[in-house]
Amino acid sequence: MLWIRIKYRLGLLYNITLFKLGLGKLLLKNRYGERILLFHGIDRNGETRYNSRFVSETFFDAFINYITTHYNVISLDDFYNKKFKKNTLNIAITFDDGYLNNYKYAVPILQKYNAPACFYITTVHKKAPYLWPDFIDLVSYHTTRTEITFQQNLYKKNNKNEFIWNGISLKTIAKTVSYDAIESIYHIFSEDWKNLPLEALGDYWKLMSPEQIKVIAIHPLFTIGAHGNTHINLTNVPLEVAQNEILTSKQQLESICKRHITEFAFPFGAYNPDIAKYCSELGFKRLLLIDYNTKEDSQNENYKNRFVINPYISMEQQISYLLKGSYF
Ligand SMILES: [Zn+2]
């Protein structure tokens, strides 16, 4: 195992060195691959204090410039229809969650390079103006409180600004509970939230408005897909609750976009056969994952796994991992 790791590290170093020497193109020549990229948020400076899901506007611009110059960047539609080119990476771009920062920063850059993308939107607006993981990230980082009680358990803040009970973070626990329970977390931190510099932190929590979603939906480069209603983990709630999440997100997006929504990206990439079956029954033809649950799923034409962009590495490293098709 150690040798494999060393060998791999050497390989990666070799790729990065070539890239830095301007020989990146040589590397990419003849390298065939199919990748669907998964982005979340874009911000001005690539802040990683609040979450591990955002890249900077500068990185995004350089990255999209690079992949549209050197690879075959195609729409998800073409990806599903296998309109691939030989001897190159075939890439589709996706965004999860529906952040306002996608509209502000990503959309103009994608237009500049004529790069198609699909945006998977969480339709939480009627319940809250933010997604619960962002709420927890921001209040946990900024609050001066050192402990809170949730579901009778005492959580203490650690030096990474996480609230921990029994070795588990509040955010991890929140992935296992219903939205009602998550609303009680909002209640616990309601004063802390109000005291945040919310406008200055807007890139880290604001979501696209229905009007902005509509603008994207009618743009020829872009498509809209569903991503659940409240971003709960669908596999950790009763099936009827999961079904309601999926149905509500579809209905709300269809009423905003005035078109059929036929793509669904599972929140946290979490799915099971019952949930996937319900999605198909509702008319979702394309189901976007992070990792396949089983080998059979990887052979199912509806399912596609995605390559998650890593905000902690350089563009050279990101390209090298992208070529490899995995971080391991
Ligand atoms: Zn998500």
Side-chain angles (χ1 to χ4, degrees):
M1 271 315 276
L2 183 66
W3 168 237
I4 292 172
R5 223 175 292 151
I6 292 170
K7 205 172 132 195
Y8 170 56
R9 289 228 172 110
L10 286 173
L12 187 65
L13 203 66
Y14 173 72
N15 282 1
I16 293 166
T17 311
L18 275 184
F19 193 99
K20 284 199 168 144
L21 290 169
L23 301 171
K25 257 201 235 166
L26 199 77
L27 247 182
L28 320 182
K29 244 171 104 185
N30 305 325
R31 183 74 69 110
Y32 180 82
E34 300 164 15
R35 313 268 188 270
I36 301 177
L37 307 184
L38 170 51
F39 287 92
H40 289 91
I42 310 289
D43 71 353
R44 283 237 178 272
N45 305 312
E47 180 65 76
T48 50
R49 269 185 303 172
Y50 306 127
N51 68 53
S52 53
R53 302 183 298 281
F54 287 19
V55 295
S56 73
E57 190 184 14
T58 318
F59 174 97
F60 188 71
D61 190 301
F63 184 80
I64 299 300
N65 184 12
Y66 193 91
I67 63 170
T68 49
T69 306
H70 297 292
Y71 305 123
N72 184 34
V73 178
I74 55 179
S75 67
L76 201 73
D77 207 44
D78 285 348
F79 197 97
Y80 264 87
N81 291 319
K82 299 185 187 297
K83 291 189 182 165
F84 299 138
K85 283 187 183 163
K86 288 177 184 168
N87 307 324
T88 186
L89 280 190
N90 296 280
I91 297 175
I93 300 167
T94 69
F95 281 84
D96 276 7
D97 297 342
Y99 289 111
L100 173 61
N101 62 48
N102 293 180
Y103 186 84
K104 269 167 71 184
Y105 308 123
V107 162
I109 292 169
L110 292 164
Q111 284 175 306
K112 181 162 99 178
Y113 297 109
N114 206 30
C118 185
F119 296 85
Y120 296 92
I121 310 285
T122 314
T123 49
V124 72
H125 302 83
K126 286 183 182 160
K127 296 208 173 230
Y130 39 69
L131 298 181
W132 68 259
D134 299 313
F135 179 95
I136 293 181
D137 283 341
L138 290 172
V139 288
S140 300
Y141 185 86
H142 280 96
T143 185
T144 51
R145 292 159 76 174
T146 53
E147 51 186 55
I148 56 125
T149 302
F150 172 60
Q151 294 182 328
Q152 277 102 49
N153 296 318
L154 185 69
Y155 288 72
K156 293 191 174 180
K157 190 169 166 171
N158 69 8
N159 57 8
K160 290 182 190 157
N161 298 305
E162 299 164 318
F163 282 89
I164 306 287
W165 162 74
N166 218 5
I168 316 170
S169 74
L170 178 63
K171 211 168 138 193
T172 302
I173 293 287
K175 288 181 191 171
T176 69
V177 302
S178 69
Y179 195 72
D180 285 348
I182 287 167
E183 284 182 316
S184 73
I185 299 176
Y186 293 163
H187 189 70
I188 292 167
F189 286 110
S190 64
E191 285 304 310
D192 302 270
W193 179 260
K194 277 187 214 149
N195 290 331
L196 290 178
L198 287 173
E199 277 312 305
L201 291 172
D203 281 348
Y204 305 99
W205 63 272
K206 285 190 179 180
L207 301 170
M208 275 188 258
S209 69
E211 291 70 33
Q212 290 159 337
I213 295 168
K214 204 169 166 179
V215 170
I216 291 183
I218 59 175
H219 194 287
L221 272 181
F222 307 131
T223 51
I224 297 287
H227 191 49
N229 187 37
T230 64
H231 212 286
I232 51 170
N233 182 322
L234 300 175
T235 63
N236 288 336
V237 290
L239 183 60
E240 61 268 28
V241 175
Q243 289 174 334
N244 189 44
E245 278 278 320
I246 298 162
L247 179 63
T248 306
S249 67
K250 189 174 200 287
Q251 288 173 336
Q252 289 195 15
L253 285 174
E254 288 182 345
S255 98
I256 293 168
C257 303
K258 307 278 184 271
R259 58 187 63 191
H260 288 298
I261 301 293
T262 57
E263 294 168 19
F264 192 88
F266 300 107
F268 308 107
Y271 70 103
N272 63 33
D274 288 338
I275 290 168
K277 183 165 166 265
Y278 181 73
C279 284
S280 301
E281 285 166 9
L282 270 191
F284 286 111
K285 293 187 171 58
R286 295 166 183 174
L287 302 177
L288 283 297
L289 323 170
I290 294 176
D291 295 311
Y292 297 112
N293 279 357
T294 64
K295 217 173 178 182
E296 290 74 54
D297 287 354
S298 68
Q299 271 124 44
N300 184 322
E301 291 288 310
N302 297 334
Y303 295 116
K304 296 276 179 230
N305 66 344
R306 290 181 293 169
F307 190 87
V308 184
I309 297 298
N310 182 338
Y312 296 103
I313 57 177
S314 69
M315 194 177 96
E316 290 86 348
Q317 285 172 313
Q318 187 63 80
I319 299 284
S320 295
Y321 284 119
L322 188 62
L323 279 163
K324 188 172 190 286
S326 129
Y327 290 107
F328 305 106

